[in-house]
Amino acid sequence: MGRIDLQLKADLQDMSLLVDADLRIPLKVSCNGCNEPRDNEKQPIEGSRGEAHLVIKCKECKKMFNIEIIEPKDKEIYYYRPEESGKFHTFFTLDARGVDVQSWSVTKEGWKGYASETETVIPNVDLTEDFYDYDEKGQKEVSVTEIETRIVISKTK
């Protein structure tokens, strides 16, 4: 599959989103050899000195595949700001070898928010559904709604 971008789009009201350090990325993948969907069973890359963030051996055809998260050159990629609201934003680039990544989803853990005017930290932003909170300092409602994810072929090299 090569390099792909995991993108998110949402409507932000008076807040920014930030990826937290403990974010886990749920992926649905299938083996390129037999097209069987796979669970995340970690294993070393056999016959290689390489490393990957996820290594899986297909139970059906015994092929190995791996996924590596490409570290971004610009850490700003981890921020999703109100001016980007309603547009897809790349949060992660993956190098997927021997596997098709079919979808990704957001989780309850791993996202923080910042109120736009006061920069108040909003911990534990649950993106599995529309999120609403109140910024006490700014006396405004903040929200993240209409959340969508997609996968596109990466333009980064």
Side-chain angles (χ1 to χ4, degrees):
M1 180 167 234
R3 289 197 177 188
I4 57 172
D5 291 335
L6 304 184
Q7 297 183 333
L8 177 132
K9 176 173 85 169
D11 289 335
L12 303 177
Q13 180 183 327
D14 294 315
M15 71 179 287
S16 296
L17 278 178
L18 172 66
V19 174
D20 205 356
D22 64 347
L23 178 70
R24 301 293 180 252
I25 308 168
L27 300 172
K28 286 188 180 180
V29 301
S30 66
C31 175
N32 273 354
C34 63
N35 293 322
E36 287 295 317
R38 294 288 125 218
D39 295 324
N40 297 345
E41 304 155 354
K42 293 184 180 180
Q43 296 183 18
I45 301 176
E46 293 178 8
S48 172
R49 289 181 272 161
E51 296 178 334
H53 290 97
L54 175 66
V55 179
I56 302 173
K57 184 175 187 176
C58 179
K59 288 181 184 177
E60 299 297 318
C61 67
K62 307 298 183 214
K63 283 188 172 186
M64 297 292 290
F65 57 85
N66 60 73
I67 299 172
E68 183 177 355
I69 300 170
I70 306 300
E71 191 67 28
K73 294 178 180 134
D74 181 3
K75 299 296 182 190
E76 290 292 307
I77 195 171
Y78 295 128
Y79 289 92
Y80 189 48
R81 294 183 171 74
E83 57 269 19
E84 299 172 295
S85 183
K87 299 175 187 169
F88 277 101
H89 175 81
T90 297
F91 276 96
F92 304 99
T93 299
L94 305 179
D95 188 8
R97 306 283 175 132
V99 63
D100 286 324
V101 180
Q102 298 166 340
S103 67
W104 77 287
S105 56
V106 291
T107 59
K108 290 183 179 188
E109 295 87 23
W111 301 91
K112 282 192 235 180
Y114 289 93
S116 296
E117 289 182 17
T118 62
E119 296 187 9
T120 301
V121 176
I122 304 161
N124 305 318
V125 176
D126 178 357
L127 295 182
T128 58
E129 57 190 16
D130 289 350
F131 176 84
Y132 298 91
D133 205 343
Y134 189 76
D135 176 20
E136 298 285 338
K137 285 184 191 175
Q139 298 182 342
K140 280 187 169 183
E141 180 183 73
V142 295
S143 66
V144 182
T145 59
E146 304 297 322
I147 301 158
E148 292 180 47
T149 62
R150 75 176 182 186
I151 298 170
V152 297
I153 302 298
S154 181
K155 292 183 172 109
T156 62
K157 294 192 179 197

